[in-house]
Each structure stands twice: as C-alpha cells, then as structure tokens.
Amino acid sequence: METFLNILVSGILLGGIYSLVSIGLNLIFGVVRIVNFAQGEFVMIAMYATFFCFAKFGIGPYYAVFLVAPLLFVLGIVVQRLVLQPLQNEPMMQIFATFGLLILFENSVLAITRGEGYSLAGAYSNTVIELFGLRASFARVVVFFAASAIALGLMLFLSRTMAGKAIRAVIQDRQSARLMGINVERTYLLTFALGAALAGVAGALLAPIYTLSPYIGGNFILAAFAVVVLGGLGSVPGAYIGGLMVGLMESFAGYYVDPALKQAIWFIIFVVVLIVRPSGLMGQAGAEEVGLREQT
Amino acid sequence: MTQAPQQPTTTPPSFGVQLARYAGLIALSAVPLALLWSNPYWVNVLAYTYLFAALAASWNIIGGFGGQFSLGHGVFFAIGAYSVARLYLDVGLTPWIAIFPAAALATIIALLISWPTFRLRGPFFAIATMAINEACFALANYSDRITGGPRGILVPFRAGLSNMIFIERWKYALLMFAFMVVVVLITVWLRRARLGHYLLAVRADEDAARAAGIDVLKVKLQGMALSAFLTGIGGGLFAMYVRVLDPPTLFTLPEIGVKFALIALIGGIGTIIGPVVGALLIVPLENYLRGTLGGDIPGGHLIILGAILVAAALFLKRGVVGAVLAATQRSKRSRG
Amino acid sequence: MTKARLLTTAFAIMLLSGSAAMAQEPIRIGAINPYSGPVALYGDEVARGYQLAIDEANAKGGVIGRKIELLRGDAGNPQQGIAAVEKLVSDKTDIFVGTYISAVSNAASDAALRYSKIYWDTNALAADLTARGLPNFVRSGPYASSFADVSANAVKDLLGPAIGKPVKGLKVWIESEDSIYGTSIAKQQKELLEKEGVVVTGVGAHNFRATDLTDSVLRAKNAAPDIWINTGYVPDGNLLLRTMREQGFKPAAILLVGTGDTFETLDSLGAEYLEGITIVGYPRPDQTETYGPGAAAYLAAYKAKYQRDPIAPQGMTAYVGVQMLIEAIAAAGSVDMEKVRAAAAKLDKPPKSYATGFGLKFDAQFQNTRAFPTVVQWQSGKIVTVFPKEATQPNVKLVNLPRK
C-alpha cells in the first residue's frame, strides 16, 4: 500500500513537471497553431540561464525565475517576429523552421558549454519533504504547485481579462476575431512570447531537479506535444489534466511493468486515446479540424 | 492541411515530354557520381544522397502528394533494415530478394498503424507518428530476440554480388542511384495515375474530396502502403551498406524519420524532383560541414546547418523547386 | 670535379634531400569520436588525451623519424563513422584511433579495413568489437568484461568485507542504462556475481534520458539489497542518486560503474551524500607512482595545456592507448597495418607499466588483457583510488561503509 501511494505521489509530481512544461506549448499550439519544436529548447535555455544566475551571482532559482521568464519572453518575441510570423500559413515550414531552431539552440549551447553537465548544488536540490511516511523532493513539490497556480492563473487570465478574451476569440475563429477588431497579429505575438515565458518559468523551476545538458530539451518536447494534444488543443485545464495523466501513466507503467518500457507504454496509450477521441480529452469535439484548415 | 502550391493553370505537358524532362534531371543528378566515382569520400556521400533522395521521394508519396505529414517513416525504414539483415543472416536469403518480404512486412505494419491514425489531421497526425516512432525505439531496444536489442544486428563483411555487399563504394552508389530512379519513376507514374489525383485532392481539401465521392481513407491507405513499401526497401539497402543496425542508428528521429520530411520540404514538397534536389543539397552539405568543422567546435557544423534550415524555411517556402518554378513563371509572365 | 662526379653528387644530394623530405611527412592519426551530441564532452576529452600523448612523442622527435599529427573526425552514429573514415583517408590519414561509441567504432573500423588501415581503439567497450576478428582492429583499453570483472571483484573483496557481510548470500541489485554499454556490463556482472554465490535480487534497466526514475529506485528499494550497482551515464546516475536520497533508499553500499566520479556528480549531489560511494572507473591520475608511472606527469601536462583539471578519467586511458600505439609503430618500423599489428602482438609489458596501471599483452583477438579499470571512492568531496591495493596510496582507508 505504501508503495502504491509512493508511486501515486511520484506520478502526480511527475505530472506536475509535464504540465508545467506543456502549459506554454499549449498556448502556442492552441492559439497560434504553431508546431513549435523549439519549445523544449526554450526550457533548456531557461535552465542554463538559471544556472548562470546561481553560479555567477548566487541567485537562487526561485528568485531567478523573475529574471529568466522575462528573458524568455523577449526571446519569444524575437523568434515569433523573425521566424514564425512570416510562416503563418505554412504549417509544414513551421515544423521545418522550428526544427532548425532546435538544432541551432542545442548546438549553440553545446559549443559554449562543451556539454559539461552542470547542476544546481545546495539546498534547492537536496531538501526533502516528508508527510505521512511519504517522501518527496521539495523542488518537485514546488513545480507541482507552480504548475497548478499557473494553470489557474492562466484560466482566469483567459476568461477575465481583455487580452485573455482576445486570445480565446482567436483560438475559436481568427477570421471572426479579426472582424471584431482584434489585432490578430499582435495577439499571436503576445501569446507566443507568453508561451516562451512560461517555458522560462518551467526551466527555472526544473533546474534544481536535473543535470543540465544541451539536449535536455529534447527529453521533454515530444511528451509536451503529447500532453497538449491529449488534453485538447487550447484547453488550459485539459493540458493540466493531460500532464497529470501522463505522469501517472508513466509512473505506474514504470513500476508495475518495466521502467525500460514506460515511455513506449504511455506513447501507445496516447495514440490510442487520440484515435478514439481525436480532439483530446477536454477539447471541443472536432476542434482538431477547426482552425487547421488555413483561415487567413 | 496546406494550401496546394500555386499550380500553373495551363494544361500539363504530355507524358512523353514530362518523362524526358525528368530523365534529363535524373541524368543531371548522376553527373556527380560520374565525375567523382573514383573518390571514395564523395562516392560515400553520394550513396547516402541517392538513398535519402529515394527515401524522401517515398515519403513524398504520402507526405507530399497526400498531405499526410508523417514523421514516423523511420519505423518502416527500420523494419526493412532489420528484416533484410535477419533474412540474410538467419535464412541465407540474398538481399536482392529479401528486400521484398521485408518491404511487405513494413507495409503491413504501416497499414495497421495508419488505419486508425489517419483519423488525425495535420500536426496531430505528425505528433502521433512521432510517438509511434519513439514507442518502436523502446520496443526494438527491449526485444533482444527479434532485433538484437541494444546490441543490434551486425552484418559481417562478405563481399559478393549475391550478398549485396561490395568492396568498391561506387557500386553501392550505383545501387542507391538505381533505387532512386525507380522511386522517382514510380512517383512520375503516380502523379498521372488516378491514385495520384485522389491523393492530391485529399491533400487540397479532405472534406471536399469526400463530398466528391472519393473514399478518403482508402486513398490514404493506398498511398501509405506504397510509401511504406518503398521506404522498407530503402531500409534494406541501408542495412547492407552500413551493416551496423542498432535502435539508435535506425530510430533517432532527427537522423532518419524527420530527415526524410526535411529533405522533401527543402527540395519542394509535393513535387517529383523536389526530394532529389533536397537530398543533393542537404546530404553533401551536412557531410561537408561535419567533415570540416565537426572536430573543432563542438556542434559547430550543426549550428550552421540549423541556421541554414531556418533560412531555407523562411526564404524557400515552396522548397527549391518551388522557388525555381516561381522564378520561371515570373519571367514567363514578364515576357508576356 | 668531373662532370660525372658533379652529376652524381648532385643526384645523391637530391636523393638524400628527397628521402629526408619524405621522412618529414608526418604520421597522421585520425581520431574518430562523437565531438557533438550528448557525449561530446567525453569524445573531446578522449581526443585531448590523444593530443597529450602525441605532444609527448613529438617532443622526443616523433616516431620512426616522423612527427605525429592528430586529425579529428566527428561521428555520432555508424553512417557518420563511415563518412569520417572516408574524409580522413582522403586527408591522408595513416592510422585511426577512437572511439567513445561502440557502434561507431564498429562501422568505422570496418570502413578503415577497406583501406588496410589500423583501427586502434582506446575506449570503446562492446565485446564484439574484438570478437569479430577484424584484421585491422586492436583494443588497447579495458572493455565491458573488464568493468564487469572489476565490479564483481569490488563487491567480493572490497565492499562485502567493508559492510561486514559474507559473499555467499550477499544481496545485490544491478541497475543499468538500457543501451549496449549498460546492458552488456550488467549482464556480465550478474553472471560473475551469481557464480560467487551472490544473490542478485533484481536487474533494472532505464533510459539515460528519462525525466523520472522513481520507479527504478522504488523497485530496487523493495528488493532491499545490501549493495546497489549502477552502470550508466551522468544525467541518469545523478537523477538516480537524488531520487534514492528523496525516497530514503539507503543500501549499505553503492557502487557506480563508468561514470559518477567527476565534478558533474559532485555538484549535483554534494560531498556529504557522496561520501563513501565507490565507482568502478577509468584509472585516475592520483594513483601511486609505482602503480601508474607517469600519472602525475599526465596530470601536470593536462593542466598546463588545457588550464584546468581533467574533466573525465577516460582521457588518461586514451593517452596511454596512444602511447601504446606509438610503441607498436616504433617496434614495427612503419605504419603498415599488418606490420603494426604483428609488432603489437609481440609487445609484452607487465602491469603497472603505464600511467593507468595497465600492462600490454594482446590476446588472439587483440584485446589488451592487462587493461583494467580501478575502483575509487568519494572522500570529503575528492576522488580517491581504493582498489586494487597497489594503486592505492598508503594512507588511504575506506570511509562510510556501511553507509550511514
């Protein structure tokens, strides 16, 4: 029983990691309909930036996040304006371009760092919380709560604020949104930058957990896409729940079946769910088709 | 999913003329081999170039013509490679024959996977195929008995025509070139055949095609079957060339599955000669960059490659072929 | 002087200067390694080792009257390995060395054979590289079996006694990453340990890039082993140890194989947690001078050239490997594949001849039978060699075993 609870907790926390990483992608994919393969690299860059703040200036990751997230926001603006805006109506070329960015970012960081595996030392990584005999790393608990808070915050943002409503309008029907006077291009820019900033938050909060590598982004990107699609495009609660589900699936499959097969298992489950319900768990039915046919 | 490229509204030229044009372009692509056949470094690069041109052209059947952006073709490639290697090593079957049952197996698996996943459109389909590739990676690594697990399958060097193992690299390059020609000819035929028209219709507007009475799923499956079959053959040829087959070599997405799509994209997706052009550009470039820069600055050659990919995506939206076509159309129009 | 004599003298001078010019042509050694990709750091470190050995030889005038030049070929998978060989051959490479990834070594050595060029492997671990019997292949360094052997010996002779348990009935969990590197070593560890009467309570495999390894840790924890062994890379090793700490999994002894002995792990886990963890790894420069003559000199040379401490011990094994190659060339008097290999077969140097403590004696498949990793231990944030006895500094003792 205790083992079961352990796996459950571990799965939820892992789900928190997946949710946090996917939230930014959910906005970008859901709103701007951009297949951003470089999203994992935003997380990676944020992790290195966080490490830099820590190693050079002694700023802990939970403070550095306030520096790193705006940094990624700016990077997002640059990338959207220069690379993705021109490719608005070319989804295949977007895949191509963001894949090129992925290679570019990965190897730039490799060239700078030679691939040495940095880690954030100290209390952030070492602290363990113990409750009712169940143990969890402090850093992961922080990630889980951050993911939940951000998901909630984002839901409120999208439903209560003007900018958020504009984004939702664009998700639903960009042509009509334009007719309503919404500056669609500006919305795209804002959303992409926001998505990048969220990746920045993820990177900063994940830095205490992992050993950094220029290739660590690649570990997350496919899972992030799967979570977003599973949860339902453009649905914030969907991505959040999708992340939790993937985390739980992976945890249980890893323990009760075989750690070597856990990825394969949840990938297969993902494909099966998608086949049965292509719009994802919480997406609008048919949403996978709406908006993908180009609406200029 | 995409808008169809701006096709000229003039009547297409006759089959004979088209064939002649393509024959000319293919002959052009053979020129490097003819010039460099005695330089093993370039011959090796050309062998990969032709092989990947063929693989990209095979992908193009369902990815370009059919508009189904699959990033999981590596699975069919791997099935072809493993099957040929096993048939050759365990049964003693000559690879010249073994490629056919291997490709058939790849096709069957492709149909099994695609039949349910074709419900998905656009990026969803792409992501699902990537997930399948990763799942197969893990499965191949796990199943020692079938694939040799992490150790993989090693085909020892025993030269001989019936073994499809050659001492001289140019023979391999010739083999890959022949394979490329076959695939291109098949796509030329396909473009004019009914299946080709149906695939293009499905790509342009799936619902309209369905409304027009096309059995969309059947068309997609047929396209996928052909595409997977040819990809499986390519995998088999790869197996007899590299002769070291392990899961990382066959299933790493950026090296295999995604690369097929990338080459077709940069050359000109949905065109016939695009994959060939793309391969002739990318494969030698990547090898050249790796050879000159790869040792000194870690990842230096890939930084440049990444930048080139981004630039190509931005400035060659229809691929190289598309850009050339657009340029010739502009000059035609300006001439009156 | 008569015209004839003048001509003869001129001709003789030309001949002499011609052959002197030919003798000036450097020996080109092509180093094939991944210099990009996830293990780029190790590929580069290995090449640094080569360069140091070559610098050393060149300072003494090179070998067989020729200086040595190092060329690099980046290769992360077999196809790139073939291309790298082709490129280096066209750059007039005489001999190949490598290679941090076994699959690359496999394909590249095969390609090198087409040109009758020696492939002198210093670091790749897969057993079938030598088992193939390729006529140009030589392996100067340890391989998977060597690591498995030393792990088993460490369990039997070092850790078992240290935690106060007899070998028969000792409970061990064998964990590894799931590529050929981890799985081949794990498989052999299991065989060797079971032969000694050790109870292998479980064998686990994980992907080195996994985002979570709690499942692997919990499975091992449930088996309650006395000793936990892991063969892997740095990212997974670090994550496993952190997760073990989180989950309160405290086996009496922890043995890492291959990695875990560098600053990358120290930064990640901290000196306190690492205290007492043992690693089966490539030999280190801190060994005694009697065990590893020249180790201190290697360390000094590395620091002088690269302005920092060595990043990973793989470099010193690479350094020694090229030293051995140079000896073979000198003994053969040429770089010809068959001559060098024949000369290598005759070389016989006892253990403790090199900075790594290796000896030199190739078996029929040209595997160096006197190349072994050593066992080190984290002590107060420093790595200290603890096994074999002759490699250990005299005042060194084991710490924190069993783990508190």
Side-chain angles (χ1 to χ4, degrees):
Chain A
M1 190 51 193
E2 194 202 307
T3 309
F4 177 83
L5 285 175
N6 249 323
I7 300 283
L8 186 69
V9 167
S10 156
I12 292 175
L13 294 179
L14 179 61
I17 292 178
Y18 282 133
S19 297
L20 187 60
V21 171
S22 312
I23 271 177
L25 186 65
N26 187 35
L27 267 186
I28 291 175
F29 197 18
V31 174
V32 201
R33 294 279 194 260
I34 284 184
V35 186
N36 182 21
F37 270 116
Q39 187 75 6
E41 308 315 308
F42 289 156
V43 176
M44 182 270 288
I45 290 172
M47 287 172 93
Y48 274 92
T50 310
F51 174 76
F52 184 72
C53 288
F54 181 74
K56 265 274 188 301
F57 303 115
I59 306 175
Y62 302 125
Y63 300 107
V65 64
F66 295 105
L67 295 170
V68 170
L71 177 70
L72 267 297
F73 187 88
V74 170
L75 181 63
I77 291 183
V78 170
V79 168
Q80 209 276 351
R81 258 277 163 271
L82 292 182
V83 178
L84 294 169
Q85 174 89 320
L87 292 174
Q88 200 58 278
N89 295 320
E90 310 275 349
M92 291 197 191
M93 280 306 175
Q94 283 167 17
I95 293 182
F96 191 176
T98 54
F99 188 71
L101 284 175
L102 182 158
I103 295 181
L104 189 61
F105 288 145
E106 257 180 10
N107 288 286
S108 301
V109 174
L110 175 67
I112 297 172
T113 64
R114 292 185 66 229
E116 292 177 25
Y118 304 132
S119 301
L120 259 66
Y124 303 105
S125 332
N126 302 350
T127 318
V128 176
I129 301 178
E130 197 166 339
L131 262 180
F132 310 114
L134 295 173
R135 304 166 64 105
S137 124
F138 173 69
R140 284 182 194 238
V141 172
V142 168
V143 165
F144 176 75
F145 282 113
S148 312
I150 290 177
L152 199 62
L154 206 53
M155 272 165 62
L156 289 172
F157 170 72
L158 288 177
S159 55
R160 300 288 162 85
T161 67
M162 223 32 219
K165 290 185 186 175
I167 291 177
R168 272 170 53 223
V170 171
I171 291 181
Q172 288 181 2
D173 188 337
R174 62 178 89 165
Q175 258 179 332
S176 306
R178 200 190 295 274
L179 288 173
M180 287 293 165
I182 293 175
N183 185 337
V184 173
E185 272 68 39
R186 178 112 56 86
T187 309
Y188 286 166
L189 187 62
L190 170 67
T191 321
F192 190 86
L194 188 56
L198 288 171
V201 172
L205 297 182
L206 289 176
I209 300 179
Y210 292 109
T211 301
L212 269 52
S213 147
Y215 301 94
I216 200 169
N219 298 356
F220 290 113
I221 187 65
L222 193 54
F225 269 113
V227 165
V228 167
V229 168
L230 193 65
L233 220 48
S235 158
V236 172
Y240 180 71
I241 300 210
L244 289 180
M245 291 189 57
V246 169
L248 284 165
M249 273 197 284
E250 190 174 309
S251 241
F252 279 104
Y255 185 80
Y256 289 108
V257 180
D258 193 319
L261 285 176
K262 61 184 170 191
Q263 281 243 309
I265 289 177
W266 82 251
F267 273 138
I268 292 174
I269 294 179
F270 158 66
V271 172
V272 167
V273 168
L274 213 53
I275 289 164
V276 165
R277 200 180 149 77
S279 53
L281 295 167
M282 292 179 76
Q284 300 169 281
E288 77 280 12
E289 305 177 25
V290 172
L292 282 177
R293 242 171 306 124
E294 287 331 290
Q295 309 171 31
T296 36
Chain B
M1 175 186 153
T2 35
Q3 291 174 326
Q6 308 303 319
Q7 301 280 16
T9 45
T10 50
T11 49
S14 75
F15 186 54
V17 171
Q18 266 202 337
L19 206 55
R21 270 198 214 147
Y22 289 124
L25 288 165
I26 289 177
L28 253 170
S29 65
V31 165
L33 181 58
L35 290 176
L36 296 164
W37 69 272
S38 56
N39 181 332
Y41 169 63
W42 283 111
V43 168
N44 177 54
V45 171
L46 284 171
Y48 284 126
T49 304
Y50 298 140
L51 177 62
F52 274 77
L55 289 164
S58 313
W59 177 89
N60 196 29
I61 290 173
I62 190 65
F65 292 164
Q68 305 304 308
F69 205 77
S70 154
L71 291 175
H73 264 53
V75 173
F76 318 137
F77 177 79
I79 292 176
Y82 277 131
S83 307
V84 168
R86 297 223 63 163
L87 285 169
Y88 170 69
L89 288 173
D90 299 347
V91 179
L93 187 59
T94 164
W96 296 102
I97 300 183
I99 48 178
F100 294 108
L105 181 60
T107 309
I108 294 172
I109 304 285
L111 290 173
L112 285 173
I113 296 175
S114 313
W115 178 60
T117 48
F118 271 144
R119 296 190 60 180
L120 308 168
R121 309 268 192 102
F124 297 85
F125 178 70
I127 292 165
T129 54
M130 281 176 71
I132 292 173
N133 186 94
E134 287 300 301
C136 289
F137 190 156
L139 288 170
N141 206 43
Y142 197 74
S143 32
D144 270 54
R145 310 268 302 291
I146 305 177
T147 60
R151 177 173 177 264
I153 300 181
L154 309 164
V155 181
F157 183 85
R158 242 165 253 128
L161 182 59
S162 63
N163 296 348
M164 209 190 264
I165 299 179
F166 312 113
I167 298 178
E168 306 92 337
R169 290 220 186 277
W170 64 263
K171 289 188 183 163
Y172 279 114
L174 202 57
L175 174 63
M176 306 304 183
F177 180 77
F179 178 51
M180 182 186 86
V181 169
V182 166
V183 176
V184 170
L185 286 177
I186 290 178
T187 53
V188 170
W189 161 80
L190 185 67
R191 184 73 179 71
R192 306 185 71 91
R194 199 176 303 179
L195 176 60
H197 288 304
Y198 287 164
L199 280 169
L200 288 169
V202 165
R203 179 181 78 179
D205 189 331
E206 199 169 308
D207 299 310
R210 193 173 286 121
I214 295 177
D215 184 342
V216 168
L217 183 60
K218 182 157 150 226
V219 163
K220 284 185 188 176
L221 287 175
Q222 285 173 331
M224 177 61 94
L226 184 56
S227 177
F229 188 83
L230 294 170
T231 305
I233 294 184
L237 297 181
F238 179 87
M240 301 318 291
Y241 186 40
V242 175
R243 286 180 288 107
V244 176
L245 308 170
D246 60 5
T249 304
L250 296 172
F251 287 101
T252 302
L253 279 168
E255 296 290 335
I256 306 287
V258 171
K259 196 169 256 173
F260 302 162
L262 228 48
I263 288 177
L265 272 169
I266 209 174
I269 199 173
T271 67
I272 294 179
I273 207 72
V276 175
V277 171
L280 282 168
L281 287 172
I282 293 204
V283 177
L285 178 66
E286 190 187 358
N287 270 284
Y288 173 74
L289 286 173
R290 187 181 298 270
T292 38
L293 289 177
D296 305 312
I297 308 170
H301 56 294
L302 290 170
I303 295 176
I304 296 186
L305 193 70
I308 290 178
L309 287 180
V310 175
L314 284 172
F315 300 117
L316 290 174
K317 291 200 185 108
R318 300 266 173 242
V320 169
V321 171
V324 167
L325 280 177
T328 49
Q329 261 155 38
R330 271 200 300 277
S331 63
K332 263 198 216 139
R333 250 179 266 136
S334 65
R335 268 189 263 125
Chain C
M1 239 195 232
T2 62
K3 218 194 240 179
R5 275 240 206 112
L6 199 60
L7 273 172
T8 329
T9 321
F11 194 55
I13 294 175
M14 261 170 40
L15 259 180
L16 275 172
S17 51
S19 55
M22 273 200 327
Q24 289 330 306
E25 185 78 2
I27 296 178
R28 290 192 186 86
I29 296 186
I32 300 199
N33 274 304
Y35 299 117
S36 60
V39 292
L41 186 66
Y42 294 98
D44 190 54
E45 187 71 359
V46 160
R48 284 184 171 185
Y50 298 156
Q51 188 66 62
L52 288 171
I54 288 174
D55 290 346
E56 203 180 68
N58 281 341
K60 299 190 204 128
V63 69
I64 55 171
R66 297 162 69 177
K67 293 273 181 166
I68 308 175
E69 193 188 321
L70 184 69
L71 303 172
R72 287 186 177 204
D74 178 31
N77 63 37
Q79 335 46 311
Q80 288 166 11
I82 295 175
V85 166
E86 298 286 355
K87 172 85 177 41
L88 289 172
V89 164
S90 71
D91 289 342
K92 307 222 193 68
T93 300
D94 300 295
I95 291 181
F96 287 97
V97 295
T99 300
Y100 198 72
I101 300 178
S102 291
V104 172
S105 183
N106 214 312
S109 53
D110 193 289
L113 182 58
R114 307 296 132 233
Y115 298 98
S116 302
K117 301 224 185 266
I118 276 244
Y119 201 94
W120 190 279
D121 201 308
T122 60
N123 285 71
L125 294 180
D128 50 40
L129 287 172
T130 38
R132 294 179 290 178
L134 219 60
N136 68 336
F137 194 83
V138 174
R139 177 154 47 196
S140 65
Y143 71 130
S145 289
S146 334
F147 280 86
D149 280 339
V150 174
S151 326
N153 289 343
V155 166
K156 206 172 40 129
D157 302 328
L158 191 71
L159 296 175
I163 61 175
K165 292 229 163 134
V167 170
K168 282 225 176 340
L170 190 62
K171 293 194 327 197
V172 163
W173 176 278
I174 299 178
E175 183 72 34
S176 79
E177 64 87 38
D178 63 5
S179 81
I180 181 67
Y181 153 60
T183 50
S184 57
I185 292 178
K187 189 154 161 258
Q188 270 193 294
Q189 285 169 336
K190 180 169 192 279
E191 279 167 23
L192 291 169
L193 286 172
E194 280 178 339
K195 228 194 294 184
E196 300 288 341
V198 168
V199 173
V200 175
T201 56
V203 177
H206 61 267
N207 189 288
F208 88 96
R209 304 182 70 172
T211 38
D212 180 66
L213 289 168
T214 313
D215 45 15
S216 300
V217 168
L218 287 178
R219 280 179 152 215
K221 186 178 176 193
N222 278 359
D226 302 306
I227 303 181
W228 182 82
I229 304 179
N230 178 46
T231 306
Y233 293 104
V234 168
D236 57 316
N238 288 358
L239 190 58
L240 278 168
L241 290 174
R242 278 183 168 175
T243 311
M244 284 165 68
R245 179 168 56 191
E246 274 158 39
Q247 293 295 325
F249 173 39
K250 292 200 184 100
I254 294 177
L255 180 66
L256 305 174
V257 180
T259 56
D261 53 354
T262 67
F263 76 91
E264 293 168 310
T265 302
L266 181 63
D267 284 352
S268 174
L269 275 311
E272 200 191 315
Y273 184 78
L274 287 180
E275 187 78 4
I277 290 185
T278 48
I279 301 116
V280 177
Y282 289 92
R284 318 203 45 116
D286 77 310
Q287 295 175 142
T288 59
E289 196 62 18
T290 41
Y291 183 80
Y298 168 81
L299 187 59
Y302 189 103
K303 282 189 183 165
K305 188 170 178 108
Y306 299 112
Q307 307 295 316
R308 57 174 303 172
D309 280 333
I311 296 175
Q314 281 80 343
M316 195 162 80
T317 297
Y319 161 82
V320 164
V322 168
Q323 282 183 325
M324 293 174 175
L325 168 63
I326 292 173
E327 282 173 41
I329 296 174
S334 103
V335 295
D336 172 77
M337 172 182 99
E338 282 174 19
K339 291 202 186 125
V340 172
R341 216 163 171 244
K346 295 207 200 81
L347 289 173
D348 188 336
K349 294 182 77 167
K352 304 188 238 175
S353 300
Y354 297 93
T356 48
F358 296 169
L360 189 52
K361 184 93 185 85
F362 291 107
D363 65 13
Q365 292 168 331
F366 284 87
Q367 168 68 45
N368 186 359
T369 55
R370 295 182 184 156
F372 287 102
T374 55
V375 182
V376 298
Q377 191 183 45
W378 281 107
Q379 298 184 355
S380 306
K382 294 221 171 356
I383 282 281
V384 175
T385 306
V386 296
F387 190 81
K389 211 136 173 75
E390 316 102 306
T392 311
Q393 298 283 359
N395 49 327
V396 161
K397 280 198 260 289
L398 286 179
V399 303
N400 198 20
L401 282 175
R403 281 174 73 71
K404 282 188 261 306

